[in-house]
PDB file of all heavy atoms in Angstrom:
ATOM      1  N   GLN A 240     134.583 167.047 -30.860  1.00 96.00           N
ATOM      2  CA  GLN A 240     135.059 166.531 -32.154  1.00 96.00           C
ATOM      3  C   GLN A 240     136.555 166.774 -32.352  1.00 96.00           C
ATOM      4  O   GLN A 240     137.047 167.893 -32.200  1.00 96.00           O
ATOM      5  CB  GLN A 240     134.288 167.176 -33.299  1.00 96.00           C
ATOM      6  CG  GLN A 240     134.653 166.602 -34.670  1.00 96.00           C
ATOM      7  CD  GLN A 240     133.809 167.199 -35.779  1.00 96.00           C
ATOM      8  OE1 GLN A 240     132.610 167.405 -35.596  1.00 96.00           O
ATOM      9  NE2 GLN A 240     134.420 167.483 -36.914  1.00 96.00           N
ATOM     10  N   VAL A 241     137.255 165.699 -32.703  1.00 96.00           N
ATOM     11  CA  VAL A 241     138.680 165.754 -33.022  1.00 96.00           C
ATOM     12  C   VAL A 241     138.843 165.519 -34.524  1.00 96.00           C
ATOM     13  O   VAL A 241     138.260 164.580 -35.063  1.00 96.00           O
ATOM     14  CB  VAL A 241     139.469 164.678 -32.239  1.00 96.00           C
ATOM     15  CG1 VAL A 241     140.922 164.622 -32.691  1.00 96.00           C
ATOM     16  CG2 VAL A 241     139.388 164.942 -30.741  1.00 96.00           C
ATOM     17  N   GLY A 242     139.627 166.367 -35.176  1.00 93.00           N
ATOM     18  CA  GLY A 242     139.849 166.149 -36.604  1.00 93.00           C
ATOM     19  C   GLY A 242     140.050 167.428 -37.366  1.00 93.00           C
ATOM     20  O   GLY A 242     140.169 168.508 -36.784  1.00 93.00           O
ATOM     21  N   GLN A 243     140.060 167.314 -38.672  1.00 87.00           N
ATOM     22  CA  GLN A 243     140.319 168.468 -39.538  1.00 87.00           C
ATOM     23  C   GLN A 243     139.310 169.585 -39.320  1.00 87.00           C
ATOM     24  O   GLN A 243     139.656 170.760 -39.337  1.00 87.00           O
ATOM     25  CB  GLN A 243     140.279 168.016 -40.997  1.00 87.00           C
ATOM     26  CG  GLN A 243     140.664 169.110 -41.995  1.00 87.00           C
ATOM     27  CD  GLN A 243     140.571 168.626 -43.419  1.00 87.00           C
ATOM     28  OE1 GLN A 243     139.972 167.592 -43.685  1.00 87.00           O
ATOM     29  NE2 GLN A 243     141.165 169.347 -44.336  1.00 87.00           N
ATOM     30  N   THR A 244     138.044 169.228 -39.116  1.00 86.00           N
ATOM     31  CA  THR A 244     137.011 170.239 -38.883  1.00 86.00           C
ATOM     32  C   THR A 244     136.641 170.340 -37.403  1.00 86.00           C
ATOM     33  O   THR A 244     135.642 170.959 -37.052  1.00 86.00           O
ATOM     34  CB  THR A 244     135.749 169.914 -39.707  1.00 86.00           C
ATOM     35  OG1 THR A 244     135.356 168.562 -39.445  1.00 86.00           O
ATOM     36  CG2 THR A 244     136.013 170.076 -41.191  1.00 86.00           C
ATOM     37  N   GLY A 245     137.455 169.713 -36.552  1.00 90.00           N
ATOM     38  CA  GLY A 245     137.247 169.798 -35.108  1.00 90.00           C
ATOM     39  C   GLY A 245     138.488 170.340 -34.429  1.00 90.00           C
ATOM     40  O   GLY A 245     139.111 171.285 -34.901  1.00 90.00           O
ATOM     41  N   LYS A 246     138.870 169.704 -33.326  1.00 91.00           N
ATOM     42  CA  LYS A 246     140.023 170.169 -32.558  1.00 91.00           C
ATOM     43  C   LYS A 246     141.254 169.328 -32.877  1.00 91.00           C
ATOM     44  O   LYS A 246     141.148 168.137 -33.177  1.00 91.00           O
ATOM     45  CB  LYS A 246     139.711 170.113 -31.063  1.00 91.00           C
ATOM     46  CG  LYS A 246     138.618 171.102 -30.661  1.00 91.00           C
ATOM     47  CD  LYS A 246     138.266 171.020 -29.188  1.00 91.00           C
ATOM     48  CE  LYS A 246     137.205 172.062 -28.845  1.00 91.00           C
ATOM     49  NZ  LYS A 246     136.761 171.963 -27.441  1.00 91.00           N
ATOM     50  N   VAL A 247     142.410 169.971 -32.815  1.00 89.00           N
ATOM     51  CA  VAL A 247     143.686 169.279 -33.027  1.00 89.00           C
ATOM     52  C   VAL A 247     144.296 168.997 -31.663  1.00 89.00           C
ATOM     53  O   VAL A 247     144.458 169.910 -30.845  1.00 89.00           O
ATOM     54  CB  VAL A 247     144.647 170.138 -33.875  1.00 89.00           C
ATOM     55  CG1 VAL A 247     145.998 169.452 -34.025  1.00 89.00           C
ATOM     56  CG2 VAL A 247     144.041 170.403 -35.250  1.00 89.00           C
ATOM     57  N   VAL A 248     144.611 167.733 -31.398  1.00 93.00           N
ATOM     58  CA  VAL A 248     145.149 167.342 -30.095  1.00 93.00           C
ATOM     59  C   VAL A 248     146.463 166.594 -30.287  1.00 93.00           C
ATOM     60  O   VAL A 248     146.700 165.986 -31.329  1.00 93.00           O
ATOM     61  CB  VAL A 248     144.146 166.464 -29.305  1.00 93.00           C
ATOM     62  CG1 VAL A 248     142.846 167.198 -29.074  1.00 93.00           C
ATOM     63  CG2 VAL A 248     143.879 165.145 -30.024  1.00 93.00           C
ATOM     64  N   ALA A 249     147.305 166.658 -29.287  1.00 90.00           N
ATOM     65  CA  ALA A 249     148.575 165.919 -29.319  1.00 90.00           C
ATOM     66  C   ALA A 249     148.934 165.475 -27.907  1.00 90.00           C
ATOM     67  O   ALA A 249     149.954 165.891 -27.352  1.00 90.00           O
ATOM     68  CB  ALA A 249     149.683 166.791 -29.910  1.00 90.00           C
ATOM     69  N   PRO A 250     148.084 164.635 -27.303  1.00 94.00           N
ATOM     70  CA  PRO A 250     148.346 164.197 -25.924  1.00 94.00           C
ATOM     71  C   PRO A 250     149.474 163.179 -25.844  1.00 94.00           C
ATOM     72  O   PRO A 250     149.955 162.678 -26.868  1.00 94.00           O
ATOM     73  CB  PRO A 250     147.013 163.567 -25.512  1.00 94.00           C
ATOM     74  CG  PRO A 250     146.475 163.027 -26.805  1.00 94.00           C
ATOM     75  CD  PRO A 250     146.879 164.025 -27.854  1.00 94.00           C
ATOM     76  N   GLU A 251     149.856 162.845 -24.612  1.00 95.00           N
ATOM     77  CA  GLU A 251     150.827 161.767 -24.406  1.00 95.00           C
ATOM     78  C   GLU A 251     150.226 160.426 -24.828  1.00 95.00           C
ATOM     79  O   GLU A 251     150.930 159.561 -25.354  1.00 95.00           O
ATOM     80  CB  GLU A 251     151.227 161.707 -22.924  1.00 95.00           C
ATOM     81  CG  GLU A 251     151.974 162.925 -22.416  1.00 95.00           C
ATOM     82  CD  GLU A 251     153.324 163.109 -23.095  1.00 95.00           C
ATOM     83  OE1 GLU A 251     154.026 162.101 -23.296  1.00 95.00           O
ATOM     84  OE2 GLU A 251     153.661 164.255 -23.435  1.00 95.00           O
ATOM     85  N   LEU A 252     148.920 160.254 -24.590  1.00 97.00           N
ATOM     86  CA  LEU A 252     148.233 159.009 -24.938  1.00 97.00           C
ATOM     87  C   LEU A 252     146.899 159.331 -25.589  1.00 97.00           C
ATOM     88  O   LEU A 252     146.093 160.085 -25.032  1.00 97.00           O
ATOM     89  CB  LEU A 252     148.004 158.164 -23.679  1.00 97.00           C
ATOM     90  CG  LEU A 252     147.117 156.913 -23.837  1.00 97.00           C
ATOM     91  CD1 LEU A 252     147.747 155.913 -24.796  1.00 97.00           C
ATOM     92  CD2 LEU A 252     146.857 156.268 -22.483  1.00 97.00           C
ATOM     93  N   TYR A 253     146.672 158.765 -26.775  1.00 98.00           N
ATOM     94  CA  TYR A 253     145.392 158.919 -27.472  1.00 98.00           C
ATOM     95  C   TYR A 253     144.809 157.532 -27.675  1.00 98.00           C
ATOM     96  O   TYR A 253     145.417 156.677 -28.310  1.00 98.00           O
ATOM     97  CB  TYR A 253     145.582 159.614 -28.823  1.00 98.00           C
ATOM     98  CG  TYR A 253     144.282 159.958 -29.521  1.00 98.00           C
ATOM     99  CD1 TYR A 253     143.646 161.162 -29.262  1.00 98.00           C
ATOM    100  CD2 TYR A 253     143.685 159.079 -30.429  1.00 98.00           C
ATOM    101  CE1 TYR A 253     142.445 161.490 -29.882  1.00 98.00           C
ATOM    102  CE2 TYR A 253     142.493 159.391 -31.049  1.00 98.00           C
ATOM    103  CZ  TYR A 253     141.875 160.607 -30.782  1.00 98.00           C
ATOM    104  OH  TYR A 253     140.687 160.935 -31.396  1.00 98.00           O
ATOM    105  N   LEU A 254     143.626 157.297 -27.106  1.00 98.00           N
ATOM    106  CA  LEU A 254     142.973 155.995 -27.194  1.00 98.00           C
ATOM    107  C   LEU A 254     141.754 156.130 -28.107  1.00 98.00           C
ATOM    108  O   LEU A 254     140.795 156.830 -27.782  1.00 98.00           O
ATOM    109  CB  LEU A 254     142.557 155.539 -25.795  1.00 98.00           C
ATOM    110  CG  LEU A 254     141.952 154.158 -25.609  1.00 98.00           C
ATOM    111  CD1 LEU A 254     142.811 153.081 -26.254  1.00 98.00           C
ATOM    112  CD2 LEU A 254     141.805 153.856 -24.126  1.00 98.00           C
ATOM    113  N   ALA A 255     141.822 155.499 -29.282  1.00 98.00           N
ATOM    114  CA  ALA A 255     140.752 155.584 -30.276  1.00 98.00           C
ATOM    115  C   ALA A 255     139.918 154.312 -30.223  1.00 98.00           C
ATOM    116  O   ALA A 255     140.418 153.223 -30.501  1.00 98.00           O
ATOM    117  CB  ALA A 255     141.347 155.763 -31.672  1.00 98.00           C
ATOM    118  N   VAL A 256     138.641 154.459 -29.872  1.00 98.00           N
ATOM    119  CA  VAL A 256     137.763 153.301 -29.687  1.00 98.00           C
ATOM    120  C   VAL A 256     136.647 153.338 -30.728  1.00 98.00           C
ATOM    121  O   VAL A 256     135.871 154.303 -30.781  1.00 98.00           O
ATOM    122  CB  VAL A 256     137.148 153.301 -28.267  1.00 98.00           C
ATOM    123  CG1 VAL A 256     136.272 152.074 -28.069  1.00 98.00           C
ATOM    124  CG2 VAL A 256     138.243 153.367 -27.207  1.00 98.00           C
ATOM    125  N   GLY A 257     136.591 152.331 -31.576  1.00 97.00           N
ATOM    126  CA  GLY A 257     135.539 152.268 -32.593  1.00 97.00           C
ATOM    127  C   GLY A 257     135.661 153.348 -33.642  1.00 97.00           C
ATOM    128  O   GLY A 257     134.664 153.761 -34.240  1.00 97.00           O
ATOM    129  N   ILE A 258     136.891 153.793 -33.882  1.00 97.00           N
ATOM    130  CA  ILE A 258     137.168 154.824 -34.882  1.00 97.00           C
ATOM    131  C   ILE A 258     137.926 154.182 -36.039  1.00 97.00           C
ATOM    132  O   ILE A 258     138.984 153.579 -35.835  1.00 97.00           O
ATOM    133  CB  ILE A 258     137.998 155.977 -34.279  1.00 97.00           C
ATOM    134  CG1 ILE A 258     137.183 156.741 -33.229  1.00 97.00           C
ATOM    135  CG2 ILE A 258     138.489 156.932 -35.363  1.00 97.00           C
ATOM    136  CD1 ILE A 258     137.950 157.809 -32.489  1.00 97.00           C
TER     137      ILE A 258
END
Side-chain angles (χ1 to χ4, degrees):
Q240 185 176 320
V241 173
Q243 185 182 15
T244 52
K246 294 178 178 176
V247 177
V248 301
E251 295 296 318
L252 172 63
Y253 187 88
L254 185 51
V256 182
I258 293 175

